Amino acid sequence: MFIIWSLSSGSKDLLFNQPFICPTCKNYSSLSAVMTYSYFSLFFIPLFKWNRKYCAVSNCCRHAYEISPDLGKNIRNGVRVILTDTDLGIDHTETSAFCVNCGNAVDSAFDFCPKCGSKL
């Protein structure tokens, strides 16, 4: 007798769209919400999910911001939610610069971007 089971990970688009100015690349874009999870399947049928994490993804540069499980559950259940910078963990009080080449947030003390190496 064969028993086919697997442990896998998956993601689900939560059909969320909100206008947004991206702090990474400074473009006017939108946010979409995604849920990632791990699941157990038996005979290719997913039985249960765990390790659910929710994130908001900027549609311009694809930068992901983790959001709280409560907000993620509300979005998944269809509750109208408006995400703010504090929900996304964006802190505008830091003195950081952005690379003009790749849009990466860089400490203002750096002369070169640590991601792409271009001169700031």
Side-chain angles (χ1 to χ4, degrees):
M1 177 160 100
F2 287 102
I3 297 178
I4 301 173
W5 63 274
S6 71
L7 298 173
S8 299
S9 60
S11 64
K12 179 181 178 184
D13 184 12
L14 297 179
L15 304 175
F16 175 81
N17 196 3
Q18 175 181 324
F20 177 69
I21 296 176
C22 182
T24 304
C25 65
K26 303 293 186 201
N27 289 326
Y28 184 74
S29 183
S30 63
L31 287 174
S32 56
V34 177
M35 176 182 69
T36 60
Y37 54 89
S38 300
Y39 66 94
F40 174 79
S41 64
L42 185 63
F43 293 108
F44 308 107
I45 300 170
L47 295 180
F48 57 91
K49 299 175 186 174
W50 73 93
N51 197 23
R52 290 184 175 129
K53 293 183 181 176
Y54 300 93
C55 62
V57 180
S58 174
N59 292 325
C60 53
C61 63
R62 307 301 297 165
H63 189 87
Y65 304 95
E66 189 170 354
I67 56 177
S68 71
D70 293 333
L71 282 172
K73 288 176 189 174
N74 286 341
I75 292 171
R76 188 181 74 201
N77 293 332
V79 176
R80 184 172 167 84
V81 173
I82 296 176
L83 297 175
T84 62
D85 288 352
T86 55
D87 296 330
L88 302 175
I90 300 169
D91 186 10
H92 292 291
T93 60
E94 297 177 2
T95 57
S96 62
F98 291 92
C99 175
V100 295
N101 187 37
C102 68
N104 185 39
V106 180
D107 191 327
S108 58
F110 289 166
D111 293 330
F112 294 91
C113 175
K115 184 175 180 182
C116 70
S118 65
K119 186 167 176 66
L120 299 174

Coordinates of all heavy atoms in Angstrom, one line a residue, residues 23-100:
P23 N 8.1 54.0 -0.4 CA 9.2 54.7 0.2 C 10.6 54.1 -0.3 O 11.6 54.8 -0.2 CB 9.1 54.4 1.7 CG 8.3 53.1 1.8 CD 7.4 53.2 0.6
T24 N 10.5 53.0 -0.9 CA 11.8 52.4 -1.5 C 12.2 53.0 -2.8 O 13.3 53.5 -2.9 CB 11.6 50.9 -1.7 OG1 11.2 50.3 -0.5 CG2 12.9 50.2 -2.1
C25 N 11.3 53.1 -3.7 CA 11.6 53.7 -5.0 C 11.0 55.0 -5.3 O 11.2 55.6 -6.4 CB 11.3 52.7 -6.1 SG 9.5 52.4 -6.3
K26 N 10.1 55.5 -4.4 CA 9.5 56.9 -4.5 C 8.5 57.0 -5.6 O 8.2 58.1 -6.1 CB 10.5 58.0 -4.6 CG 11.5 58.0 -3.5 CD 10.8 58.4 -2.2 CE 11.9 58.6 -1.1 NZ 11.4 58.5 0.2
N27 N 8.0 55.9 -6.1 CA 7.0 55.9 -7.2 C 5.6 55.8 -6.6 O 5.3 55.2 -5.6 CB 7.2 54.7 -8.2 CG 8.4 54.9 -9.0 OD1 8.8 56.0 -9.4 ND2 9.1 53.8 -9.3
Y28 N 4.6 56.4 -7.3 CA 3.2 56.2 -7.0 C 2.8 54.9 -7.5 O 2.9 54.6 -8.7 CB 2.4 57.4 -7.6 CG 0.9 57.3 -7.2 CD1 0.5 57.6 -5.9 CD2 0.0 56.9 -8.1 CE1 -0.8 57.6 -5.5 CE2 -1.4 56.8 -7.7 CZ -1.7 57.2 -6.4 OH -3.0 57.1 -6.0
S29 N 2.3 54.0 -6.7 CA 2.0 52.7 -7.1 C 0.8 52.2 -6.3 O 0.0 53.0 -5.8 CB 3.2 51.7 -6.9 OG 2.9 50.5 -7.4
S30 N 0.7 50.9 -6.1 CA -0.3 50.3 -5.2 C 0.2 49.1 -4.4 O 1.3 48.6 -4.8 CB -1.5 49.8 -6.1 OG -1.1 48.8 -7.0
L31 N -0.5 48.8 -3.4 CA -0.1 47.7 -2.5 C -1.1 46.5 -2.8 O -2.3 46.8 -3.0 CB -0.2 48.0 -1.1 CG 0.8 48.9 -0.4 CD1 0.4 49.3 1.0 CD2 2.2 48.2 -0.5
S32 N -0.6 45.3 -2.8 CA -1.4 44.2 -2.8 C -1.1 43.3 -1.6 O 0.1 43.4 -1.1 CB -1.3 43.4 -4.2 OG 0.0 43.0 -4.4
A33 N -2.0 42.5 -1.1 CA -1.7 41.7 0.0 C -1.6 40.2 -0.4 O -2.3 39.7 -1.2 CB -2.8 41.9 1.1
V34 N -0.7 39.5 0.3 CA -0.4 38.1 0.0 C -0.3 37.4 1.4 O 0.3 37.9 2.3 CB 0.9 38.0 -0.8 CG1 1.2 36.5 -1.0 CG2 0.8 38.7 -2.1
M35 N -0.8 36.2 1.4 CA -0.7 35.3 2.5 C 0.2 34.1 2.1 O 0.0 33.5 1.1 CB -2.0 34.7 3.0 CG -1.9 33.7 4.1 SD -3.5 33.0 4.7 CE -3.9 32.0 3.3
T36 N 1.3 33.9 2.9 CA 2.1 32.7 2.7 C 1.9 31.7 3.8 O 1.5 32.1 4.9 CB 3.6 33.1 2.7 OG1 4.0 33.7 3.9 CG2 3.9 34.0 1.5
Y37 N 2.0 30.4 3.6 CA 1.7 29.4 4.5 C 2.4 28.1 4.2 O 2.9 27.9 3.1 CB 0.2 29.2 4.6 CG -0.4 28.8 3.3 CD1 -0.5 27.5 2.8 CD2 -0.9 29.8 2.4 CE1 -1.1 27.2 1.6 CE2 -1.5 29.5 1.2 CZ -1.5 28.2 0.8 OH -2.1 27.9 -0.5
S38 N 2.5 27.2 5.2 CA 2.9 25.9 5.0 C 1.7 25.0 5.1 O 0.8 25.3 5.8 CB 3.9 25.5 6.1 OG 5.1 26.3 6.0
Y39 N 1.7 23.8 4.4 CA 0.6 22.9 4.4 C 1.0 21.5 4.3 O 2.1 21.1 3.8 CB -0.5 23.3 3.4 CG -0.1 23.1 2.0 CD1 -0.3 21.9 1.3 CD2 0.6 24.1 1.3 CE1 0.0 21.7 0.0 CE2 1.0 23.9 0.0 CZ 0.7 22.7 -0.7 OH 1.1 22.6 -2.0
F40 N 0.1 20.6 4.8 CA 0.3 19.2 4.8 C -0.7 18.6 3.8 O -1.9 19.0 3.9 CB 0.1 18.5 6.2 CG 0.1 17.0 6.1 CD1 1.3 16.3 6.1 CD2 -1.1 16.3 6.2 CE1 1.3 15.0 6.1 CE2 -1.1 15.0 6.2 CZ 0.1 14.3 6.1
S41 N -0.3 17.8 2.9 CA -1.2 17.2 1.9 C -1.1 15.7 1.9 O 0.0 15.1 2.1 CB -1.0 17.7 0.5 OG 0.3 17.4 0.0
L42 N -2.2 15.0 1.7 CA -2.3 13.6 1.7 C -3.0 13.2 0.4 O -4.1 13.6 0.1 CB -3.0 13.0 2.9 CG -3.1 11.5 3.1 CD1 -1.7 10.9 3.3 CD2 -4.0 11.2 4.2
F43 N -2.3 12.4 -0.4 CA -2.8 12.1 -1.8 C -3.1 13.3 -2.6 O -4.2 13.4 -3.2 CB -4.0 11.1 -1.7 CG -3.6 9.8 -1.2 CD1 -4.0 9.4 0.1 CD2 -2.9 8.9 -1.9 CE1 -3.7 8.1 0.6 CE2 -2.6 7.6 -1.5 CZ -3.0 7.3 -0.2
F44 N -2.2 14.3 -2.5 CA -2.3 15.6 -3.2 C -3.5 16.5 -2.8 O -3.9 17.4 -3.5 CB -2.4 15.3 -4.8 CG -1.3 14.5 -5.2 CD1 -1.5 13.1 -5.6 CD2 0.0 15.0 -5.3 CE1 -0.4 12.3 -6.0 CE2 1.1 14.2 -5.7 CZ 0.8 12.8 -6.1
I45 N -4.1 16.2 -1.7 CA -5.2 17.0 -1.2 C -4.7 17.7 0.1 O -4.3 17.1 1.1 CB -6.4 16.1 -0.8 CG1 -6.9 15.4 -2.0 CG2 -7.5 17.0 -0.2 CD1 -8.0 14.3 -1.7
P46 N -4.7 19.1 0.0 CA -4.2 19.8 1.2 C -5.2 19.6 2.4 O -6.4 19.8 2.2 CB -4.2 21.3 0.8 CG -4.4 21.3 -0.7 CD -5.0 19.9 -1.1
L47 N -4.6 19.2 3.5 CA -5.5 18.9 4.7 C -5.5 20.1 5.7 O -6.6 20.4 6.1 CB -5.0 17.6 5.4 CG -5.2 16.4 4.6 CD1 -4.7 15.2 5.4 CD2 -6.7 16.2 4.1
F48 N -4.4 20.6 6.0 CA -4.4 21.7 7.0 C -3.2 22.6 6.7 O -2.2 22.2 6.2 CB -4.5 21.3 8.4 CG -3.4 20.4 8.9 CD1 -2.2 20.9 9.4 CD2 -3.5 19.0 8.8 CE1 -1.2 20.1 9.8 CE2 -2.5 18.2 9.2 CZ -1.4 18.7 9.7
K49 N -3.3 23.9 7.1 CA -2.3 24.9 6.9 C -1.8 25.4 8.3 O -2.6 25.5 9.2 CB -2.9 26.1 6.1 CG -3.4 25.8 4.7 CD -4.0 27.0 4.1 CE -4.7 26.6 2.8 NZ -5.4 27.6 2.2
W50 N -0.6 25.9 8.3 CA 0.0 26.5 9.5 C 1.0 27.5 9.1 O 1.4 27.6 7.9 CB 0.5 25.5 10.5 CG 1.8 24.8 10.0 CD1 3.0 25.2 10.4 CD2 1.9 23.7 9.2 NE1 4.0 24.4 9.8 CE2 3.3 23.4 9.1 CE3 1.0 22.8 8.6 CZ2 3.8 22.4 8.3 CZ3 1.6 21.8 7.8 CH2 2.9 21.6 7.7
N51 N 1.6 28.2 10.0 CA 2.6 29.2 9.8 C 2.2 30.3 8.8 O 2.9 30.6 7.9 CB 3.9 28.5 9.3 CG 5.1 29.4 9.4 OD1 5.1 30.3 10.2 ND2 6.1 29.1 8.7
R52 N 1.0 30.8 9.0 CA 0.5 31.8 8.1 C 1.2 33.1 8.4 O 1.3 33.5 9.5 CB -1.0 31.9 8.2 CG -1.8 30.8 7.7 CD -3.3 31.0 7.8 NE -4.0 29.9 7.2 CZ -5.0 29.3 7.8 NH1 -5.4 29.6 9.0 NH2 -5.5 28.3 7.1
K53 N 1.6 33.8 7.3 CA 2.2 35.1 7.4 C 1.6 36.0 6.3 O 1.3 35.5 5.2 CB 3.7 35.0 7.2 CG 4.4 34.3 8.4 CD 5.9 34.3 8.2 CE 6.6 33.6 9.4 NZ 8.0 33.5 9.2
Y54 N 1.4 37.2 6.7 CA 0.8 38.2 5.7 C 1.8 39.3 5.4 O 2.5 39.7 6.3 CB -0.5 38.8 6.4 CG -1.5 37.7 6.8 CD1 -1.5 37.2 8.0 CD2 -2.4 37.3 5.8 CE1 -2.4 36.2 8.4 CE2 -3.4 36.3 6.2 CZ -3.4 35.8 7.5 OH -4.3 34.8 7.8
C55 N 1.8 39.7 4.1 CA 2.6 40.8 3.7 C 1.9 41.6 2.7 O 1.0 41.1 1.9 CB 4.0 40.3 3.3 SG 4.0 39.3 1.8
A56 N 2.3 42.9 2.6 CA 1.8 43.8 1.6 C 3.0 44.0 0.6 O 4.1 44.2 1.1 CB 1.4 45.1 2.2
V57 N 2.7 43.9 -0.6 CA 3.7 44.0 -1.7 C 3.5 45.2 -2.5 O 2.4 45.4 -3.0 CB 3.7 42.7 -2.5 CG1 4.8 42.8 -3.6 CG2 3.9 41.5 -1.7
S58 N 4.5 46.0 -2.7 CA 4.5 47.2 -3.5 C 4.5 46.7 -5.0 O 5.4 46.0 -5.4 CB 5.6 48.1 -3.2 OG 5.7 49.2 -4.1
N59 N 3.6 47.1 -5.8 CA 3.5 46.7 -7.2 C 4.5 47.3 -8.1 O 4.7 46.9 -9.2 CB 2.1 46.8 -7.7 CG 1.2 45.9 -7.0 OD1 1.5 44.8 -6.6 ND2 -0.1 46.4 -6.8
C60 N 5.3 48.4 -7.7 CA 6.2 49.0 -8.5 C 7.6 48.3 -8.5 O 8.1 47.9 -9.5 CB 6.4 50.5 -8.2 SG 6.7 50.8 -6.5
C61 N 8.1 48.1 -7.3 CA 9.5 47.5 -7.1 C 9.4 46.1 -6.4 O 10.4 45.5 -6.2 CB 10.4 48.4 -6.4 SG 9.9 48.8 -4.7
R62 N 8.2 45.7 -6.1 CA 7.9 44.3 -5.5 C 8.6 44.2 -4.1 O 8.9 43.1 -3.7 CB 8.4 43.2 -6.4 CG 7.9 43.2 -7.8 CD 6.4 43.2 -8.0 NE 5.9 41.9 -7.4 CZ 4.6 41.8 -7.1 NH1 3.7 42.7 -7.3 NH2 4.2 40.6 -6.7
H63 N 8.7 45.3 -3.4 CA 9.2 45.3 -2.0 C 8.1 44.8 -1.1 O 6.9 45.3 -1.2 CB 9.7 46.7 -1.6 CG 10.4 46.7 -0.3 ND1 11.7 46.5 -0.2 CD2 9.9 46.9 0.9 CE1 12.1 46.6 1.0 NE2 11.0 46.8 1.8
A64 N 8.4 43.9 -0.2 CA 7.4 43.3 0.6 C 7.5 43.9 2.1 O 8.6 44.0 2.6 CB 7.5 41.8 0.7
Y65 N 6.4 44.2 2.6 CA 6.3 44.7 4.0 C 5.4 43.7 4.8 O 4.3 43.4 4.4 CB 5.6 46.1 4.1 CG 6.3 47.1 3.2 CD1 5.9 47.3 1.9 CD2 7.4 47.8 3.7 CE1 6.5 48.3 1.1 CE2 8.0 48.8 2.9 CZ 7.5 49.0 1.6 OH 8.2 49.9 0.8
E66 N 5.9 43.2 5.9 CA 5.2 42.3 6.7 C 4.1 43.1 7.5 O 4.4 44.1 8.0 CB 6.1 41.5 7.7 CG 5.4 40.4 8.4 CD 6.3 39.5 9.2 OE1 7.5 39.7 9.1 OE2 5.8 38.7 9.9
I67 N 2.9 42.5 7.5 CA 1.8 43.1 8.3 C 1.4 42.2 9.4 O 1.6 41.0 9.4 CB 0.6 43.5 7.4 CG1 0.1 42.3 6.6 CG2 1.0 44.6 6.4 CD1 -1.1 42.7 5.7
S68 N 0.7 42.7 10.4 CA 0.3 41.9 11.5 C -0.7 40.9 11.1 O -1.5 41.0 10.2 CB -0.3 42.8 12.6 OG -1.6 43.3 12.2
P69 N -0.8 39.8 11.9 CA -1.7 38.7 11.6 C -3.2 39.2 11.7 O -4.0 38.7 10.9 CB -1.4 37.6 12.6 CG 0.0 37.8 13.0 CD 0.2 39.3 12.9
D70 N -3.5 40.1 12.6 CA -4.9 40.6 12.7 C -5.3 41.3 11.5 O -6.4 41.1 11.0 CB -5.0 41.5 13.9 CG -4.8 40.7 15.2 OD1 -5.1 39.5 15.3 OD2 -4.3 41.4 16.2
L71 N -4.4 42.2 11.0 CA -4.8 42.9 9.7 C -4.9 42.0 8.6 O -5.8 42.1 7.7 CB -3.7 44.0 9.4 CG -3.8 45.3 10.2 CD1 -2.6 46.1 10.0 CD2 -5.0 46.0 9.9
G72 N -4.0 41.0 8.5 CA -4.0 40.0 7.4 C -5.3 39.2 7.4 O -5.9 38.9 6.4
K73 N -5.7 38.8 8.6 CA -7.0 38.0 8.7 C -8.2 38.9 8.3 O -9.1 38.4 7.6 CB -7.2 37.5 10.2 CG -6.3 36.4 10.5 CD -6.5 36.0 12.0 CE -5.4 35.0 12.4 NZ -5.5 34.8 13.8
N74 N -8.2 40.2 8.7 CA -9.2 41.1 8.3 C -9.3 41.2 6.7 O -10.4 41.2 6.1 CB -9.1 42.4 8.9 CG -9.5 42.4 10.4 OD1 -10.2 41.5 10.8 ND2 -9.0 43.4 11.1
I75 N -8.1 41.4 6.1 CA -8.1 41.5 4.7 C -8.6 40.2 4.0 O -9.4 40.2 3.1 CB -6.7 41.8 4.2 CG1 -6.3 43.2 4.6 CG2 -6.5 41.7 2.7 CD1 -4.8 43.6 4.4
R76 N -8.1 39.0 4.6 CA -8.6 37.7 4.0 C -10.1 37.5 4.2 O -10.7 36.9 3.3 CB -7.8 36.6 4.8 CG -8.0 35.2 4.2 CD -7.3 34.2 4.9 NE -8.0 33.9 6.2 CZ -7.5 33.4 7.2 NH1 -6.3 33.0 7.3 NH2 -8.3 33.2 8.3
N77 N -10.7 38.1 5.2 CA -12.1 37.9 5.5 C -12.9 38.9 4.8 O -14.2 38.9 4.9 CB -12.4 37.9 7.0 CG -11.8 36.7 7.7 OD1 -11.7 35.6 7.1 ND2 -11.5 36.8 8.9
G78 N -12.3 39.9 4.0 CA -13.1 40.8 3.2 C -13.4 42.1 4.0 O -14.2 42.9 3.5
V79 N -12.8 42.3 5.2 CA -13.1 43.5 5.9 C -12.3 44.7 5.2 O -11.2 44.5 4.8 CB -12.6 43.4 7.4 CG1 -12.8 44.7 8.1 CG2 -13.4 42.3 8.1
R80 N -13.0 45.8 5.1 CA -12.3 47.0 4.5 C -11.2 47.5 5.4 O -11.5 47.9 6.5 CB -13.3 48.1 4.2 CG -12.7 49.2 3.4 CD -13.8 50.2 3.0 NE -13.3 51.4 2.6 CZ -12.9 51.7 1.3 NH1 -12.9 50.7 0.5 NH2 -12.4 52.9 1.0
V81 N -10.0 47.5 4.9 CA -8.8 47.9 5.7 C -8.0 48.9 4.9 O -7.9 48.8 3.7 CB -7.9 46.6 6.0 CG1 -6.6 47.0 6.6 CG2 -8.6 45.6 6.8
I82 N -7.5 49.9 5.6 CA -6.6 50.9 5.0 C -5.3 50.8 5.7 O -5.2 51.0 6.9 CB -7.2 52.3 5.1 CG1 -8.5 52.4 4.3 CG2 -6.1 53.3 4.5 CD1 -9.2 53.7 4.3
L83 N -4.2 50.4 5.0 CA -2.9 50.2 5.6 C -2.2 51.6 5.7 O -2.2 52.3 4.7 CB -2.1 49.2 4.8 CG -2.6 47.8 4.7 CD1 -1.8 47.0 3.8 CD2 -2.7 47.2 6.1
T84 N -1.6 51.8 6.8 CA -0.8 53.0 7.0 C 0.7 52.7 7.1 O 1.1 51.5 7.1 CB -1.2 53.8 8.3 OG1 -0.9 52.9 9.4 CG2 -2.7 54.1 8.2
D85 N 1.6 53.7 7.1 CA 3.0 53.4 7.2 C 3.3 52.7 8.5 O 4.3 51.9 8.5 CB 3.8 54.8 7.2 CG 3.7 55.4 5.8 OD1 3.3 54.7 4.8 OD2 4.2 56.5 5.6
T86 N 2.6 53.0 9.6 CA 2.9 52.3 10.8 C 2.5 50.8 10.7 O 3.2 49.9 11.4 CB 2.2 52.9 12.0 OG1 0.8 53.0 11.8 CG2 2.8 54.3 12.3
D87 N 1.5 50.5 10.0 CA 1.1 49.1 9.8 C 2.2 48.3 9.0 O 2.4 47.1 9.2 CB -0.2 49.0 9.0 CG -1.4 49.5 9.8 OD1 -1.3 49.5 11.1 OD2 -2.3 50.0 9.2
L88 N 2.9 49.0 8.1 CA 3.9 48.4 7.3 C 5.3 48.4 7.9 O 6.2 47.8 7.3 CB 3.9 49.1 5.9 CG 2.6 49.1 5.1 CD1 2.8 50.0 3.9 CD2 2.2 47.7 4.8
G89 N 5.4 49.0 9.0 CA 6.7 49.1 9.7 C 7.6 50.1 9.1 O 8.8 50.0 9.2
I90 N 7.1 51.1 8.4 CA 7.9 52.1 7.8 C 8.1 53.3 8.8 O 7.1 53.8 9.3 CB 7.2 52.7 6.5 CG1 7.0 51.6 5.5 CG2 8.1 53.8 5.9 CD1 6.2 51.9 4.3
D91 N 9.4 53.6 9.0 CA 9.7 54.7 10.0 C 10.3 55.8 9.2 O 11.4 55.6 8.7 CB 10.6 54.2 11.1 CG 10.8 55.2 12.1 OD1 10.2 56.2 12.1 OD2 11.7 55.0 13.0
H92 N 9.7 56.9 9.1 CA 10.2 58.0 8.3 C 11.1 58.9 9.1 O 11.6 59.9 8.6 CB 9.0 58.9 7.7 CG 8.3 58.2 6.7 ND1 8.8 57.9 5.5 CD2 7.0 57.7 6.7 CE1 7.8 57.2 4.7 NE2 6.8 57.1 5.5
T93 N 11.3 58.6 10.4 CA 12.2 59.5 11.2 C 13.7 59.2 11.0 O 14.5 60.0 11.4 CB 11.8 59.3 12.7 OG1 12.0 58.0 13.1 CG2 10.4 59.7 12.9
E94 N 14.0 58.0 10.4 CA 15.4 57.7 10.2 C 16.0 58.6 9.1 O 15.3 59.0 8.2 CB 15.5 56.2 9.8 CG 15.0 55.2 10.8 CD 15.1 53.8 10.2 OE1 15.6 53.6 9.1 OE2 14.7 52.9 11.0
T95 N 17.3 58.9 9.3 CA 17.9 59.7 8.3 C 18.6 58.7 7.3 O 19.7 58.2 7.6 CB 19.0 60.6 8.9 OG1 19.9 59.8 9.7 CG2 18.3 61.7 9.8
S96 N 17.9 58.3 6.3 CA 18.5 57.4 5.3 C 18.3 58.0 3.9 O 17.4 58.8 3.7 CB 17.9 56.0 5.4 OG 16.5 56.1 5.2
A97 N 19.1 57.6 3.0 CA 19.0 58.0 1.6 C 18.6 56.8 0.8 O 18.6 55.7 1.3 CB 20.3 58.6 1.2
F98 N 18.2 57.1 -0.4 CA 17.9 56.0 -1.4 C 18.8 56.0 -2.5 O 19.2 57.1 -3.0 CB 16.4 56.2 -1.8 CG 15.4 55.9 -0.7 CD1 14.9 57.0 0.0 CD2 15.0 54.7 -0.5 CE1 14.0 56.8 1.0 CE2 14.1 54.4 0.5 CZ 13.6 55.5 1.3
C99 N 19.2 54.9 -3.0 CA 20.1 54.7 -4.2 C 19.3 55.1 -5.4 O 18.2 54.7 -5.6 CB 20.6 53.3 -4.3 SG 21.5 53.0 -5.8
V100 N 19.9 56.0 -6.2 CA 19.2 56.4 -7.5 C 19.1 55.3 -8.5 O 18.3 55.3 -9.4 CB 19.8 57.7 -8.0 CG1 19.6 58.9 -7.1 CG2 21.3 57.5 -8.4

